[in-house]
Amino acid sequence: MEKETRRYAGALRKEHIGQNVLLKGWVQKRRDLGGLIFIDLRDKSGTVQIVFNPTVSEEALAIAESVRSEYVVEVKGQVVKRDDATVNEAIETGAIEVFVSNLEVVNKSKNPPFPIQNETDVAEDLRLKYRYLDLRRSSLQETFKLRHRTTQVIRNFLNNNEFLEMETPILTKSTPEGARDYLVPSRVHAGEFYALPQSPQLFKQLIMVSGFEKYYQIARCFRDEDLRADRQPEFTQIDIETSFMSSDEIMEMTESMMQKVMAEVKEVELPLPLPRIKYQEAMERYGSDKPDTRFGMELIHLSDSMKDSSFKVFQSAVNSGGKVALLNAKNQAANYSRKDIDKLTDFVKVYGAKGLAWLKVEGDELKGPISKFLSEEEIEAISSKAEVSDGDLLLFVADKSSVVYDSLGALRLKLGKEMKVIDEGKFNFLWVTDWPLLEYDEDAGRYHAAHHPFTMPMDEDAAKLSTDPANVRAKAYDLVLNGYELGGGSLRIYKKEQQDKMFEILGFTPEQAQEQFGFLLEALEYGAPPHGGIALGLDRIIMLLAGRSNLRDTILFPKTASASDPLTDAPSEVAKNQLDELSIQLKNKND
Amino acid sequence: MEKETRRYAGALRKEHIGQNVLLKGWVQKRRDLGGLIFIDLRDKSGTVQIVFNPTVSEEALAIAESVRSEYVVEVKGQVVKRDDATVNEAIETGAIEVFVSNLEVVNKSKNPPFPIQNETDVAEDLRLKYRYLDLRRSSLQETFKLRHRTTQVIRNFLNNNEFLEMETPILTKSTPEGARDYLVPSRVHAGEFYALPQSPQLFKQLIMVSGFEKYYQIARCFRDEDLRADRQPEFTQIDIETSFMSSDEIMEMTESMMQKVMAEVKEVELPLPLPRIKYQEAMERYGSDKPDTRFGMELIHLSDSMKDSSFKVFQSAVNSGGKVALLNAKNQAANYSRKDIDKLTDFVKVYGAKGLAWLKVEGDELKGPISKFLSEEEIEAISSKAEVSDGDLLLFVADKSSVVYDSLGALRLKLGKEMKVIDEGKFNFLWVTDWPLLEYDEDAGRYHAAHHPFTMPMDEDAAKLSTDPANVRAKAYDLVLNGYELGGGSLRIYKKEQQDKMFEILGFTPEQAQEQFGFLLEALEYGAPPHGGIALGLDRIIMLLAGRSNLRDTILFPKTASASDPLTDAPSEVAKNQLDELSIQLKNKND
């Protein structure tokens, strides 16, 4: 008898029939039947059925009787053809099974707190506490294989394009501009702190000043923010920076990279160039700066027609600088009762809308509570702009522009899902360009950088920086997929005078700018090249490629919504001497 | 005239003569000569000479007059053959130059605080403050290209061997066993802390329990320790873990990986299998657990011959359980004066030696202050064991074993360098195996794990865990190159009972073990496979491959010996409200 070679369970096929094999893995399931024992043996490659038969080995059969789910075993045996009647077409190894001559129990297992199977309704907290068991499920195994492949495709693409992979520090300086930093007390420098980087932004700019010209990093980033379903305290971004390239060149390079990913990971051909849409147009058409273009149902603008409306809500919205717009939910009048529409109204209120007006199209009439306030011309304008037909449901928001965009943008996505008009098989990438450089923060009474303070204004708008900052556009671009922002980038300011000016507009005194960003300002004085780049959220890309809706499924050991890890119990209390060494103490409650 | 294409300066060759090119880069040097201006233009690929000639463009010449070192410029021009007399064989572009028709100053530069040139004697602190300028030096550019290539070779190797690259958390739980943790206060969970990982050890073991079977990560690790020349607060390791593989298989896989690195990065053929040496033998022959085998001069042991010596120092060392050993510095008697030997004595005292005895070989006599205490038989034994010949210098240490090893091991390296017997072109890899599992910590009065508490004892020694822990060997292996530990690994304990036992021997109460490592102990109960791995220090590998002696040269933005960054000024003070949010405060001085 020839010597057994280690084989992967999931890789056994008809062509292995007759071979002696060595398998190592986990007991997925055991069935006793007619004096035989059948086990689904699982390893990283999949599962295969192994059979214990007294005519092959009584000893192995006897041991198999003691075996339970999730035991680790090594088996030797022969691959045999299954009877035609027992062939299982549903699994790739279903044409064969392994007759076991030798079984060794390598390690036992307690009965797991939940079964290791793909479909699960087990509470996420329990699954996170036993993450090492949850990860045995094949859907998660596949997700992390996909994550691995995606990362390698991206690396290969960038390596082939002369990029150098470089590592920037995790222990860095706190720059309170932006999100909240995670801080790390210094032991050597009592009273001082490092911060974990929110992104390698400043370091990658310094790398450009260093002359490396093409940098990338699959970089860990940290933000101490209140978590949402699609946020994690630490996340991974594909971080890219180049010198001497234009926005167009960076976008073209990035979309070629995504084309490669789609081809090699999803076997989907992504036509290039990707569509581009300007920020302002995206807001007007989709009510979103990251539009999901897998379906239509765009916003229909009525402001021009409602300036003089006798319907006060519409008229005053327009005349106080706001907007009136509607969505036409085609053929949905019968599907949405008054009660349903009340729910939609509650939904848009979350986005600041004061209400949701509606009309239903019956024949060629528009019927609903607001119809009586609308003139014939107005009804005509609505009908024609919204291209109504019998059975349509029209939903209106009249408010200041940002509320109209946000509420109708969100409502559009909600309706799209409810109406099942979104093709889930599509991967609609697009670029959003021509972003505003600045956002006015009413609470703070000053401008914030819409992206970050290092973003370059468009040349033709630069002169407006002092006179009309709200209307300065940035050399910035976001990549969007199916309504998710995958990431964004920009060209950066590379002249000190312009960076000084930018800090001034953002309300920094020269001393504050120097204190926080002095090293960057100084670097710009020593021959900084024109440079720019992009950062894409790897976790989110994986989530979309894997067809998942939860970012935690794409991170090996994620944190919960309260930023804790039920598995290791992090964060946790530490010993007082650890704090003493760091010259810190817990804050007195009554301070 | 054809359109110019962007070219890299350092890539221009004779075959480009006649082409119109566009170059973008930095002014390395400017020389004015006979009405012409010559500039060495530098980009990431190297440098090329560009020439401003009034007959080509008076305008470009005029602009060139304003140009200074480190200005960023774009030039258009034509590649021309240099006169035979001006060909510069020393640089790869030396056969050609570029006649400039158009020059644009893209960005200016102040006069840099130090010249951008390879050879430098500028203080390191200044270079770190202007790291972005220091990194422009071609030797550092080359180091980071080498780092990039090495990392990719390693990734390709592991990818081709079915490993998955996976990311483990940076915000983890503090486990005070081992080095000091960097802590991160939690905002959400007041009074609690995350720790930055000293290594992904526990996570990679959990990945094995998850059934992924082959994991790797180029992982950032953190240790808050007092720094030496070859330590950094954050460092990068090639972190590998596998299931179902033996120590031999892991070592073979690792050495194949290093063979690939040496072939592709250094064009050096590394013969396999690598030599292996047991820990005990390494100590006895080289006085080191990471021997530099590029030269001989091994320790020569005399304990057997000195048991009854009338030289008290030797005799009592042996009879109190210690050792007498010597190094024979061949033919060095004339090169080391008494004063020189006094210096060597001071050197070994650092390693705990009380003194350094010596003899010089003159003809067939051994002469020196201790000769009068030694009997003829003892002299004979020394001569024969040390294979002395005329002119040799013999250097003795008699002390407890650990002091003999440490002091002579260090002295051997020092002499090797001083005697110039080390072949700097060699890459001597070897494995050190059969490590002790435990080390007795006299201060703490208990055993420490020599590697970490998860290392598996050798099967044949496991029974001695309770009775004779000092002599239990581990299934552990270190990879050594030219006297540096590149890293090490082991098989891990995968049965809960054995891990419980291990914690008990290390002085943990069951409660303490549960508190710190409960999640691992629990994971071992749910079908943990046999597993093991290795972790190699990437920074150190790069340091050795790049022929450098300073770890900071291999890290893009390193920290100083006091763990600070002179560039960004990290760590630094933070705002009180940042600490308030984290529920911590600086410790009162008088607490």
Side-chain angles (χ1 to χ4, degrees):
Chain A
M1 195 172 110
E2 58 172 314
K3 175 102 179 70
E4 305 83 0
T5 30
R6 163 87 196 273
R7 295 284 188 177
Y8 286 112
L12 293 178
R13 295 286 183 278
K14 273 186 186 162
E15 58 262 36
H16 301 110
I17 288 170
Q19 290 188 10
N20 293 308
V21 295
L22 169 65
L23 301 172
K24 303 177 181 195
W26 284 262
V27 173
Q28 173 78 29
K29 203 158 68 179
R30 185 189 116 189
R31 293 178 305 281
D32 297 17
L33 198 70
L36 307 183
I37 292 178
F38 298 84
I39 285 175
D40 289 344
L41 183 75
R42 187 191 69 234
D43 63 24
K44 76 186 181 88
S45 66
T47 63
V48 72
Q49 175 164 284
I50 62 175
V51 185
F52 296 84
N53 185 324
T55 65
V56 178
S57 168
E58 290 201 16
E59 198 184 336
L61 178 67
I63 299 172
E65 279 172 12
S66 72
V67 156
R68 301 284 177 276
S69 285
E70 301 308 317
Y71 274 36
V72 183
V73 296
E74 282 190 28
V75 303
K76 294 174 184 170
Q78 194 170 41
V79 181
V80 301
K81 188 174 180 306
R82 289 202 201 186
D83 292 342
D84 287 348
T86 62
V87 164
N88 181 353
E89 303 277 7
I91 60 170
E92 292 190 288
T93 59
I96 54 95
E97 55 198 2
V98 176
F99 277 13
V100 179
S101 53
N102 197 288
L103 167 65
E104 189 193 339
V105 174
V106 177
N107 212 354
K108 296 183 176 185
S109 173
K110 295 207 292 191
N111 192 30
F114 48 81
I116 312 302
Q117 61 192 20
N118 241 350
E119 297 303 315
T120 184
D121 55 2
V122 176
E124 195 185 17
D125 264 14
L126 187 67
R127 288 189 287 115
L128 288 178
K129 180 171 165 54
Y130 293 96
R131 182 67 168 172
Y132 46 88
L133 297 179
D134 202 35
L135 287 169
R136 289 182 187 170
R137 297 191 296 127
S138 67
S139 65
L140 282 180
Q141 293 265 325
E142 288 309 316
T143 300
F144 289 98
K145 286 177 195 166
L146 181 144
R147 185 173 175 121
H148 168 82
R149 282 202 310 280
T150 305
T151 311
Q152 306 313 329
V153 172
I154 288 167
R155 279 217 181 80
N156 288 340
F157 176 88
L158 293 168
N159 295 345
N160 291 337
N161 281 275
E162 291 194 61
F163 282 80
L164 294 185
E165 186 176 16
M166 305 182 113
E167 296 179 68
T168 53
I170 298 291
L171 293 170
T172 67
K173 179 187 164 83
S174 179
T175 54
E177 186 75 7
R180 215 184 271 112
D181 282 329
Y182 278 104
L183 296 182
V184 182
S186 163
R187 178 176 56 83
V188 181
H189 304 275
E192 299 189 344
F193 293 78
Y194 305 95
L196 305 185
Q198 296 182 26
S199 90
Q201 183 61 37
L202 291 170
F203 286 107
K204 70 178 176 176
Q205 293 192 230
L206 293 175
I207 290 171
M208 292 304 106
V209 180
S210 302
F212 283 103
E213 203 172 313
K214 291 183 164 194
Y215 143 93
Y216 81 93
Q217 182 177 205
I218 311 291
R220 203 72 63 84
C221 306
F222 305 85
R223 289 186 195 168
D224 185 9
E225 291 188 291
D226 299 314
L227 305 182
R228 304 191 307 249
D230 66 344
R231 284 282 174 86
Q232 280 279 310
E234 49 182 309
F235 57 97
T236 301
Q237 74 187 25
I238 305 157
D239 197 49
I240 293 173
E241 193 80 3
T242 72
S243 297
F244 303 119
M245 277 171 81
S246 66
S247 302
D248 280 347
E249 287 168 333
I250 294 171
M251 283 188 270
E252 284 159 16
M253 191 272 299
T254 306
E255 63 191 33
S256 294
M257 181 175 82
M258 292 314 300
Q259 187 184 50
K260 201 94 182 163
V261 168
M262 294 307 293
E264 297 197 14
V265 178
K266 299 296 290 182
E267 293 177 14
V268 165
E269 198 191 316
L270 187 64
L272 298 186
L274 296 180
R276 294 188 189 184
I277 188 172
K278 291 180 181 175
Y279 168 86
Q280 195 54 44
E281 184 186 341
M283 296 307 289
E284 279 168 24
R285 290 176 54 194
Y286 301 100
S288 170
D289 56 14
K290 41 180 193 282
D292 188 343
T293 59
R294 289 174 298 173
F295 68 109
M297 216 197 306
E298 299 184 10
L299 275 62
I300 294 154
H301 291 272
L302 296 171
S303 306
D304 290 350
S305 315
M306 297 297 165
K307 268 184 221 144
D308 308 311
S309 178
S310 52
F311 185 34
K312 265 282 188 293
V313 177
F314 285 6
Q315 186 256 64
S316 75
V318 177
N319 291 312
S320 54
K323 282 189 188 331
V324 181
L326 71 86
L327 295 177
N328 181 353
K330 294 300 287 178
N331 215 23
Q332 296 300 309
N335 295 337
Y336 285 83
S337 66
R338 280 190 178 236
K339 215 168 168 179
D340 294 331
I341 296 177
D342 286 346
K343 280 187 195 152
L344 298 182
T345 306
D346 292 341
F347 177 81
V348 295
K349 281 183 177 168
V350 172
Y351 299 89
K354 286 182 285 291
L356 183 70
W358 58 272
L359 291 169
K360 288 182 173 180
V361 185
E362 294 183 12
D364 52 7
E365 280 189 82
L366 303 190
K367 293 201 169 167
I370 67 165
S371 63
K372 60 177 174 288
F373 302 112
L374 298 171
S375 70
E376 212 159 299
E377 292 74 29
E378 286 161 0
I379 293 279
E380 185 53 44
I382 291 170
S383 300
S384 123
K385 287 189 178 166
E387 297 175 17
V388 303
S389 51
D390 185 30
D392 289 354
L393 169 64
L394 310 180
L395 298 159
F396 301 77
V397 172
D399 217 308
K400 59 180 185 179
S401 299
S402 61
V403 169
V404 171
Y405 293 145
D406 290 353
S407 56
L408 287 183
L411 184 60
R412 174 178 172 269
L413 293 180
K414 183 180 172 64
L415 292 172
K417 271 172 214 150
E418 291 180 359
M419 293 161 59
K420 297 200 170 54
V421 293
I422 303 178
D423 181 347
E424 299 285 347
K426 268 192 187 169
F427 290 93
N428 274 26
F429 288 85
L430 78 159
W431 288 106
V432 179
T433 64
D434 292 61
W435 288 79
L437 183 70
L438 301 161
E439 278 169 0
Y440 193 71
D441 178 339
E442 302 204 350
D443 295 338
R446 68 172 177 94
Y447 283 96
H448 276 308
H451 279 72
H452 53 58
F454 320 109
T455 308
M456 196 185 271
M458 286 197 171
D459 300 339
E460 56 269 43
D461 293 351
K464 287 192 281 195
L465 262 179
S466 307
T467 55
D468 184 16
N471 285 312
V472 176
R473 289 162 304 160
K475 293 184 181 171
Y477 32 85
D478 270 17
L479 183 61
V480 171
L481 169 59
N482 292 353
Y484 287 89
E485 180 207 329
L486 296 188
S490 62
L491 296 194
R492 329 298 184 185
I493 294 170
Y494 65 96
K495 298 215 175 185
K496 178 170 185 292
E497 307 72 49
Q498 193 167 39
Q499 190 63 66
D500 283 336
K501 178 81 192 164
M502 187 69 183
F503 283 130
E504 182 194 325
I505 288 163
L506 296 173
F508 286 68
T509 65
E511 292 69 30
Q512 285 169 333
Q514 189 57 39
E515 157 83 18
Q516 281 185 44
F517 300 108
F519 61 98
L520 176 72
L521 290 169
E522 190 165 22
L524 297 183
E525 293 194 287
Y526 287 102
H531 60 287
I534 194 164
L536 302 172
L538 180 63
D539 310 312
R540 200 171 284 170
I541 290 174
I542 302 303
M543 184 179 89
L544 294 170
L545 296 187
R548 298 192 156 264
S549 55
N550 184 336
L551 212 58
R552 288 187 289 277
D553 288 340
T554 72
I555 294 175
L556 204 53
F557 296 100
K559 304 282 194 298
T560 65
S562 72
S564 63
D565 175 8
L567 168 60
T568 61
D569 195 28
S572 57
E573 291 179 9
V574 297
K576 185 173 174 300
N577 71 316
Q578 287 179 280
L579 301 186
D580 287 347
E581 284 196 302
L582 299 173
S583 308
I584 61 169
Q585 59 190 13
L586 302 185
K587 202 169 159 60
N588 300 326
K589 293 241 167 61
N590 45 8
D591 267 13
Chain B
M1 197 171 110
E2 60 173 311
K3 176 104 176 69
E4 305 83 0
T5 29
R6 162 87 195 273
R7 296 283 188 178
Y8 286 112
L12 293 179
R13 296 286 183 279
K14 271 184 185 165
E15 58 262 37
H16 302 109
I17 288 170
Q19 290 188 10
N20 293 310
V21 294
L22 170 63
L23 301 172
K24 304 179 181 193
W26 284 261
V27 173
Q28 173 78 31
K29 205 159 69 180
R30 184 189 117 189
R31 291 179 306 280
D32 298 17
L33 198 71
L36 307 184
I37 292 179
F38 299 85
I39 284 176
D40 289 344
L41 183 75
R42 187 191 69 236
D43 63 24
K44 76 186 181 87
S45 67
T47 62
V48 73
Q49 175 163 286
I50 61 175
V51 185
F52 296 84
N53 185 324
T55 64
V56 176
S57 167
E58 288 201 20
E59 198 184 340
L61 179 67
I63 299 172
E65 277 171 15
S66 72
V67 156
R68 301 284 177 275
S69 286
E70 301 309 317
Y71 274 35
V72 183
V73 296
E74 282 191 29
V75 302
K76 294 176 184 169
Q78 194 171 41
V79 182
V80 300
K81 188 173 180 307
R82 288 202 203 185
D83 291 342
D84 287 347
T86 62
V87 165
N88 181 352
E89 303 277 5
I91 60 169
E92 292 190 288
T93 59
I96 53 95
E97 57 198 0
V98 175
F99 277 12
V100 178
S101 53
N102 197 290
L103 167 66
E104 188 192 339
V105 173
V106 176
N107 212 352
K108 295 184 178 187
S109 174
K110 294 208 293 192
N111 193 30
F114 48 82
I116 312 301
Q117 60 192 23
N118 243 350
E119 298 302 315
T120 183
D121 55 2
V122 176
E124 195 186 16
D125 265 13
L126 187 66
R127 289 190 286 117
L128 288 178
K129 180 169 165 57
Y130 294 96
R131 182 67 169 172
Y132 47 86
L133 297 179
D134 202 34
L135 286 169
R136 288 181 187 171
R137 296 191 297 128
S138 67
S139 65
L140 282 179
Q141 292 265 327
E142 289 307 316
T143 299
F144 289 99
K145 287 178 194 163
L146 181 143
R147 186 174 175 120
H148 168 82
R149 283 203 310 280
T150 305
T151 310
Q152 306 312 331
V153 172
I154 288 167
R155 280 216 181 78
N156 288 339
F157 177 89
L158 293 167
N159 295 346
N160 291 337
N161 282 273
E162 292 195 61
F163 282 80
L164 295 184
E165 187 175 16
M166 303 182 113
E167 295 178 70
T168 54
I170 298 290
L171 293 169
T172 68
K173 179 187 164 80
S174 180
T175 54
E177 185 76 7
R180 213 184 271 112
D181 282 329
Y182 278 104
L183 296 182
V184 182
S186 162
R187 177 177 56 84
V188 181
H189 304 275
E192 299 189 344
F193 293 79
Y194 306 95
L196 306 184
Q198 296 182 25
S199 90
Q201 183 63 36
L202 292 170
F203 287 106
K204 69 177 175 173
Q205 293 192 229
L206 293 173
I207 290 171
M208 293 303 106
V209 180
S210 302
F212 283 104
E213 205 174 311
K214 290 184 166 193
Y215 143 93
Y216 81 93
Q217 182 177 202
I218 311 291
R220 203 73 61 84
C221 306
F222 305 85
R223 290 187 194 167
D224 185 10
E225 291 188 291
D226 299 312
L227 305 182
R228 304 193 307 251
D230 64 345
R231 285 281 174 87
Q232 282 278 310
E234 51 182 307
F235 57 97
T236 302
Q237 73 187 27
I238 306 156
D239 197 50
I240 294 174
E241 195 80 0
T242 72
S243 297
F244 304 119
M245 276 172 81
S246 65
S247 303
D248 280 346
E249 287 168 334
I250 294 171
M251 284 189 269
E252 284 158 17
M253 190 271 298
T254 306
E255 63 191 34
S256 294
M257 179 175 85
M258 292 313 301
Q259 186 184 52
K260 203 92 178 162
V261 168
M262 294 306 294
E264 296 196 15
V265 178
K266 298 295 291 183
E267 294 178 14
V268 166
E269 198 192 317
L270 187 62
L272 299 187
L274 296 180
R276 294 187 189 183
I277 188 171
K278 292 180 178 173
Y279 169 84
Q280 194 53 45
E281 185 186 338
M283 295 307 286
E284 280 169 23
R285 288 176 56 192
Y286 301 99
S288 169
D289 56 14
K290 41 179 192 282
D292 188 341
T293 59
R294 289 175 297 173
F295 68 108
M297 216 196 309
E298 297 183 11
L299 275 61
I300 294 154
H301 291 272
L302 296 172
S303 304
D304 289 348
S305 317
M306 297 297 164
K307 268 183 220 146
D308 307 310
S309 178
S310 52
F311 186 34
K312 265 286 190 306
V313 176
F314 284 9
Q315 188 257 64
S316 75
V318 177
N319 290 312
S320 55
K323 282 191 188 327
V324 181
L326 71 85
L327 295 177
N328 181 353
K330 294 300 288 178
N331 217 20
Q332 296 300 309
N335 294 337
Y336 285 84
S337 66
R338 283 193 175 231
K339 214 166 170 180
D340 294 330
I341 296 177
D342 287 346
K343 280 187 194 151
L344 298 182
T345 307
D346 291 341
F347 177 81
V348 294
K349 283 183 175 166
V350 172
Y351 298 89
K354 286 180 288 289
L356 183 68
W358 59 272
L359 290 170
K360 289 182 173 182
V361 185
E362 295 184 8
D364 51 9
E365 280 187 84
L366 303 190
K367 293 198 172 170
I370 67 164
S371 63
K372 60 177 173 289
F373 301 112
L374 299 170
S375 71
E376 212 160 296
E377 291 74 30
E378 287 160 0
I379 293 281
E380 184 52 40
I382 292 169
S383 300
S384 126
K385 288 186 177 165
E387 298 177 16
V388 303
S389 50
D390 187 31
D392 288 356
L393 169 64
L394 310 181
L395 297 158
F396 301 77
V397 171
D399 217 308
K400 58 180 184 180
S401 300
S402 62
V403 170
V404 170
Y405 292 144
D406 290 354
S407 56
L408 287 184
L411 184 60
R412 175 179 171 269
L413 293 179
K414 183 179 170 65
L415 291 173
K417 273 172 213 150
E418 291 181 357
M419 290 161 59
K420 299 199 168 57
V421 293
I422 304 176
D423 181 348
E424 299 286 348
K426 270 192 186 168
F427 289 93
N428 275 25
F429 286 85
L430 78 161
W431 289 105
V432 179
T433 64
D434 291 62
W435 287 79
L437 182 71
L438 301 161
E439 277 169 0
Y440 193 72
D441 179 338
E442 303 204 350
D443 295 338
R446 68 171 179 95
Y447 283 96
H448 275 308
H451 281 72
H452 53 57
F454 319 108
T455 308
M456 196 186 271
M458 287 199 170
D459 300 339
E460 57 268 43
D461 293 350
K464 286 191 285 192
L465 263 179
S466 306
T467 55
D468 184 15
N471 285 312
V472 175
R473 289 162 304 161
K475 291 183 182 173
Y477 32 83
D478 270 16
L479 184 60
V480 171
L481 169 57
N482 293 353
Y484 286 88
E485 179 206 329
L486 295 189
S490 63
L491 297 194
R492 329 297 185 185
I493 295 170
Y494 64 95
K495 299 214 173 185
K496 176 169 186 294
E497 307 72 49
Q498 193 167 42
Q499 190 64 67
D500 282 337
K501 178 81 193 166
M502 187 69 184
F503 282 132
E504 183 193 326
I505 287 163
L506 294 174
F508 286 69
T509 65
E511 293 69 32
Q512 286 169 335
Q514 189 58 38
E515 156 85 17
Q516 282 186 42
F517 300 108
F519 61 99
L520 175 72
L521 290 169
E522 191 165 22
L524 297 183
E525 293 195 286
Y526 287 103
H531 60 287
I534 194 163
L536 301 172
L538 180 63
D539 310 311
R540 200 173 285 171
I541 290 174
I542 302 304
M543 184 179 87
L544 293 170
L545 295 187
R548 298 195 157 263
S549 55
N550 185 337
L551 213 57
R552 287 186 290 277
D553 288 340
T554 72
I555 294 174
L556 205 53
F557 296 101
K559 304 282 193 297
T560 64
S562 72
S564 63
D565 175 8
L567 168 60
T568 60
D569 196 29
S572 57
E573 292 180 8
V574 298
K576 183 170 175 305
N577 72 316
Q578 288 180 282
L579 300 187
D580 287 348
E581 284 196 302
L582 300 172
S583 307
I584 61 168
Q585 59 190 12
L586 302 185
K587 202 168 158 58
N588 300 326
K589 290 245 169 58
N590 44 8
D591 269 13

